[in-house]
């Protein structure tokens, strides 16, 4: 079953700013899903629609098979959302916040589970403090604990690790991986691409409200991440239409004086030679040549970058 | 079926709304009591033993029920409105929106908490003002009906104001330019018979006038308006306000974009 089934979801804010346009996406139950995109791509809008903070305009969402917009009560109890903005009621301690949040979701506070959350998210020592005394990283972890306290089957994390230091971030991910192994579906947005690469089994990229692609992480990395031939010239490059046409099958990406061309993954002696020859014929002899491994960041930039977003 | 209703959630939210004002007792309970005592002392000595024209009661006996009701109305309004606007400004309202609570559950819990706060203030005021004058109860049912309906109405108006306001300044505008004039000009400090005809007519359209007059009627056994008419107006207004709150929350009016 799909944990989330999004069909034709659209949303625009006033003055015609289209935040989401016709986004369709399936997220299988049990997956660890990364939703990537630059700032303002529409990630948070999507998450806020799931969380019932923002109205949708058209389209549908099914959560674990139920219509999210018609059966809000059922769906909300099975969904835990970590919003991007960190804020708490200033009157309560972390432990009280967790109890309170549990009650709001209609669940009697499970003290053992609350204790475990406090320990796993390293908040135990601060459990009775006022939330105003917590550091930024602690507050963000409390936000994660709060989203998990009613034991949701689907967890959505909007930039959960911003401001959390590296060591704690790793431990947070170990915890999320354990939950995922136990059957919880995890959907996250992050700016740390290496994190997504390491953790997630599915990845979708959205930009300017449109879904650019959705694939299994392995397939994306294996297929797209052939290696790149990086040619460096001694002056900034611009491609005319003819040059672009000649090189387009190798997905050229220009960064000032250098150009990256993807070497097809069926690596034979001739595949490198074909790319290299075509490049020299089109652009002339470079001053330097390197071969680099394409990672998620390159793919991400390639898909969302201004120059070639249209060609995909 | 179990997932359609969330009584525990509503109860939790109600507890949050009551704990919020109990944590700041000084400003939510003690301050209104002190204000009422001040009014009473000032008017007690300014007016002396004078009686209210048209009603055969000493002025300060007339004043006490009005002061209690005014405090109840203001506190009921303050509870819902300040909770919502503070949540919005701090951005914690998202947790309420994310919780599986129906509109009816949210409205019920918020208005119940506002009413509880108003009732606590009323009891404290009664105790504090008791030494100043003989307080009689003539029609208990009227006191309860007007006290509770008035709190629900003002809690509801506070809720709608809190939803509408985006900043503390918006809230202050409503409090100072709408709520305060309406409560002051509702016959707390005077009988409408003391007013020129024009202002008597204006008063007929002030809902607070009926609330305070009916409440006072329960204590004095006499008042400015027809009790049956006032009771009808108040019950109708209560239903209307509750319905508006329910509908507005359901739509996410001014709460969701």
């Amino acid at each position: 079953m799909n944990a989330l089934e999004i069909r034709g979801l659209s949303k625009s804010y006033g003055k015609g700013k289209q935040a989401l346009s016709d986004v369709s996406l399936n997220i299988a139950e049990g997956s660890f899903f990364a939703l990537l995109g630059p700032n303002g791509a529409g990630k948070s809008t999507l998450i806020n629609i799931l969380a019932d903070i923002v109205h949708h305009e058209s389209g549908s969402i099914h959560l674990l098979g139920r219509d999210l917009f018609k059966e809000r009560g059922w769906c909300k109890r099975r969904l835990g959302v970590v919003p991007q903005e960190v804020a708490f009621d200033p009157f309560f301690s972390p432990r009280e916040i967790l109890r309170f949040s549990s009650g709001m979701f209609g669940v009697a506070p499970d003290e053992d589970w609350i204790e475990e959350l406090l320990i796993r998210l390293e908040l135990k020592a601060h459990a009775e403090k006022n939330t105003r005394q917590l550091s930024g990283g602690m507050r963000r972890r409390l936000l994660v604990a709060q989203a998990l306290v009613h034991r949701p089957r689907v967890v959505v994390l909007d930039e959960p690790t911003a401001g959390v230091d590296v060591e704690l971030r790793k431990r947070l991910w170990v915890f999320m991986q354990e939950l995922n192994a136990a059957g919880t579906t995890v959907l996250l947005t992050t700016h740390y691409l290496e994190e997504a690469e390491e953790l997630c089994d599915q990845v979708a990229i959205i930009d300017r409200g449109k879904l650019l692609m959705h694939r299994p992480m392995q397939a994306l990395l294996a297929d797209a991440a052939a290696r790149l031939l990086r040619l460096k010239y001694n002056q900034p490059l611009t491609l005319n239409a003819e040059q672009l046409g000649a090189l387009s099958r190798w997905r050229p990406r220009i960064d000032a004086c250098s150009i990256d061309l993807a070497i097809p993954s069926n690596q034979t002696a001739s595949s490198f030679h074909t790319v290299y020859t075509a490049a020299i014929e089109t652009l002339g002899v470079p001053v330097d040549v390197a071969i680099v491994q394409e990672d998620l960041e390159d793919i991400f930039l390639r898909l969302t970058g201004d120059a070639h977003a249209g060609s995909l | 079926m179990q997932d359609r209703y969330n009584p525990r959630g509503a109860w939790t939210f109600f507890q949050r709304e009551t704990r919020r004002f109990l944590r700041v007792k000084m400003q939510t309970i003690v301050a209104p009591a002190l204000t009422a005592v001040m009014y009473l002392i000032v008017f007690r000595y300014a007016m002396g033993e004078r009686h209210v024209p048209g009603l055969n009661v000493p002025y300060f006996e007339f004043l006490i029920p009005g002061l209690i009701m005014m405090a109840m109305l203001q506190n009921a309004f303050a509870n819902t409105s300040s909770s919502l606007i503070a949540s919005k400004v701090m951005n914690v309202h998202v947790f309420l929106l994310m919780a599986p609570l129906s509109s009816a559950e949210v409205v019920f819990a918020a208005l119940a908490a506002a009413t509880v706060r108003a009732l606590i203030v009323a009891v404290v005021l009664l105790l504090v003002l008791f030494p100043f004058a003989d307080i009689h109860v003539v029609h208990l049912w009227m006191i309860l009906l007007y006290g509770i309906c008035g709190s629900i109405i003002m809690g509801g108006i506070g809720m709608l104001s809190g939803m509408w306001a985006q900043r503390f300044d918006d809230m202050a505008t409503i409090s100072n330019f709408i709520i305060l004039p309406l409560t002051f000009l509702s016959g707390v400090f005077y009988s409408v018979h003391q007013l020129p005809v024009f202002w008597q007519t204006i008063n007929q359209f002030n809902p607070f006038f009926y609330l305070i007059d009916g409440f006072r009627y329960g204590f004095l056994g006499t008042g400015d308006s027809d009790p049956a008419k006032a009771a009808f107006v108040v019950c109708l207004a209560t239903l209307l306000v509750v319905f508006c709150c329910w509908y507005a929350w359901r739509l996410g009016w001014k709460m969701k974009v």
Side-chain angles (χ1 to χ4, degrees):
Chain A
M1 191 178 11
N2 281 324
L4 279 170
E5 211 172 295
I6 300 169
R7 286 279 159 277
L9 194 68
S10 292
K11 168 75 185 175
S12 63
Y13 296 108
K15 294 164 201 145
K17 186 182 175 282
Q18 194 77 20
L20 288 175
S21 53
D22 198 24
V23 170
S24 294
L25 185 62
N26 284 343
I27 298 179
E29 200 178 0
S31 52
F32 206 122
F33 197 103
L35 183 62
L36 308 176
N39 285 330
K43 304 183 300 276
S44 288
T45 298
L46 177 62
I47 286 174
N48 288 340
I49 289 174
L50 283 172
D52 200 16
I53 297 169
V54 166
H55 288 298
H56 77 296
E57 219 164 67
S58 57
S60 71
I61 299 178
H62 283 79
L63 183 124
L64 299 162
R66 304 266 193 130
D67 189 327
L68 181 80
F69 302 130
K70 291 199 178 115
E71 296 182 69
R72 279 284 188 193
W74 192 93
C75 293
K76 281 179 169 184
R77 283 166 196 249
R78 283 154 186 83
L79 179 68
V81 179
V82 181
Q84 197 176 118
E85 247 183 277
V86 188
F88 293 103
D89 239 313
F91 296 111
F92 301 111
S93 69
R95 193 186 295 279
E96 286 174 313
I97 282 181
L98 296 182
R99 283 188 190 136
F100 167 73
S101 188
S102 184
M104 290 286 276
F105 278 83
V107 182
D110 176 346
E111 297 297 338
D112 293 341
W113 176 235
I114 289 176
E115 192 68 16
E116 191 182 339
L117 286 172
L118 288 168
I119 293 168
R120 293 304 302 268
L121 293 161
E122 332 235 348
L123 291 162
K124 181 83 172 76
H126 316 285
E128 324 302 334
K129 286 183 185 169
N130 187 298
T131 49
R132 272 183 289 203
Q133 293 168 270
L134 303 184
S135 70
M138 288 177 204
R139 289 183 197 197
R140 202 167 276 282
R141 266 140 48 212
L142 178 56
L143 217 51
V144 176
Q146 195 179 6
L148 296 174
V149 77
H150 60 286
R151 295 179 182 273
R153 282 169 63 188
V154 181
V155 178
V156 178
L157 307 112
D158 198 359
E159 298 282 349
T161 48
V164 176
D165 67 58
V166 183
E167 207 38 50
L168 285 165
R169 214 155 75 200
K170 278 186 189 147
R171 277 180 272 178
L172 173 64
W173 289 130
V174 170
F175 187 35
M176 294 313 297
Q177 279 175 312
E178 280 177 31
L179 289 173
N180 180 243
T184 309
T185 308
V186 183
L187 165 64
L188 72 94
T189 70
T190 180
H191 270 112
Y192 301 105
L193 293 177
E194 71 277 22
E195 232 166 49
E197 198 172 328
E198 200 179 310
L199 292 162
C200 299
D201 49 35
Q202 297 280 319
V203 58
I205 295 181
I206 81 173
D207 188 23
R208 277 166 263 174
K210 290 202 174 88
L211 186 78
L212 298 183
M213 57 121 258
H214 164 213
R215 302 185 58 184
M217 185 69 83
Q218 287 315 314
L220 178 73
L221 292 172
D223 157 63
R227 294 175 305 162
L228 299 174
L229 173 63
R230 181 166 293 167
L231 303 174
K232 221 173 165 182
Y233 292 86
N234 48 19
Q235 56 190 7
L237 288 166
T238 43
L239 298 188
N240 60 35
E242 194 189 326
Q243 291 169 320
L244 193 61
L247 296 176
S248 67
R249 50 188 280 226
W250 296 293
R251 302 190 296 242
R253 200 168 57 125
I254 295 170
D255 180 19
C257 298
S258 70
I259 181 167
D260 287 348
L261 297 166
I263 305 169
S265 51
N266 54 335
Q267 284 177 36
T268 56
S270 66
S271 63
F272 166 78
H273 187 253
T274 318
V275 182
Y276 187 65
T277 317
I280 290 174
E281 276 169 12
T282 319
L283 302 167
V285 180
V287 292
D288 194 12
V289 180
I291 290 190
V292 293
Q293 191 71 43
E294 191 179 36
D295 61 11
L296 189 58
E297 188 158 344
D298 294 304
I299 301 169
F300 180 76
L301 286 171
R302 176 151 57 72
L303 287 169
T304 59
D306 280 323
H308 303 290
S311 68
L312 282 146
Chain B
M1 207 55 197
Q2 193 199 337
D3 290 325
R4 276 190 65 177
Y5 304 103
N6 186 0
R8 182 187 290 278
W11 171 243
T12 307
F13 181 50
F14 168 79
Q15 281 181 308
R16 173 188 180 268
E17 293 300 282
T18 43
R19 278 175 70 182
R20 230 177 45 81
F21 74 80
L22 289 174
R23 289 212 179 190
V24 282
K25 291 181 210 64
M26 284 310 273
Q27 52 164 308
T28 55
I29 295 166
V30 181
L34 183 67
T35 311
V37 171
M38 297 296 206
Y39 276 128
L40 200 73
I41 291 172
V42 169
F43 284 101
R44 176 85 170 77
Y45 292 103
M47 306 300 280
E49 296 300 319
R50 245 177 281 181
H51 278 50
V52 182
L55 309 168
N56 190 26
V57 281
Y59 185 77
F60 61 88
E61 273 186 40
F62 172 88
L63 190 59
I64 288 176
L67 285 177
I68 294 174
M69 188 60 164
M70 191 170 80
M72 288 179 80
L73 299 179
Q74 285 173 344
N75 275 278
F77 176 84
N79 208 55
T80 42
S81 61
S82 66
S83 171
L84 276 174
I85 187 64
S87 292
K88 264 193 192 174
V89 169
M90 291 188 295
N91 204 43
V92 296
H93 67 297
V94 296
F95 297 116
L96 182 56
L97 293 174
M98 288 196 298
L101 285 168
S102 67
S103 179
E105 286 159 344
V106 170
V107 171
F108 180 81
L111 299 189
T115 306
V116 166
R117 171 160 161 188
L119 291 176
I120 291 176
V121 169
V123 169
V124 171
L125 254 61
L126 268 175
L127 294 175
V128 172
L129 299 181
F130 190 71
F132 291 90
D134 284 342
I135 297 176
H136 312 283
V137 172
V138 180
H139 302 295
L140 182 63
W141 70 270
M142 286 186 75
I143 297 174
L144 292 176
L145 174 79
Y146 287 92
I148 292 171
C149 285
S151 306
I152 294 173
I153 290 173
M154 286 307 285
I157 294 175
M159 191 170 174
L160 293 168
S161 313
M163 290 173 78
W164 173 79
Q166 304 295 328
R167 303 168 301 153
F168 280 115
D169 200 40
D170 295 338
M171 205 64 237
T173 306
I174 299 183
S175 302
N176 293 323
F177 293 94
I178 299 174
I179 303 301
L180 197 68
L182 283 177
T183 43
F184 263 77
L185 303 178
S186 60
V188 175
F189 301 103
Y190 52 82
S191 161
V192 282
H193 294 118
Q194 290 168 274
L195 295 176
V197 178
F198 173 74
W199 287 103
Q200 286 195 30
T201 316
I202 294 284
N203 236 337
Q204 298 282 316
F205 296 97
N206 182 353
F208 295 71
F209 162 69
Y210 293 99
L211 289 172
I212 287 175
D213 192 60
F215 187 73
R216 189 162 46 215
Y217 201 106
F219 286 93
L220 304 179
T222 177
D224 287 329
S225 64
D226 172 11
K229 183 183 166 196
F232 176 74
V233 170
V234 164
C235 288
L236 200 68
T238 309
L239 290 176
L240 184 70
V241 168
V242 171
F243 175 79
C244 289
C245 289
W246 172 80
Y247 192 65
W249 191 268
R250 204 179 130 84
L251 289 182
W253 179 63
K254 296 279 187 177
M255 296 295 288
K256 298 188 219 168
V257 266

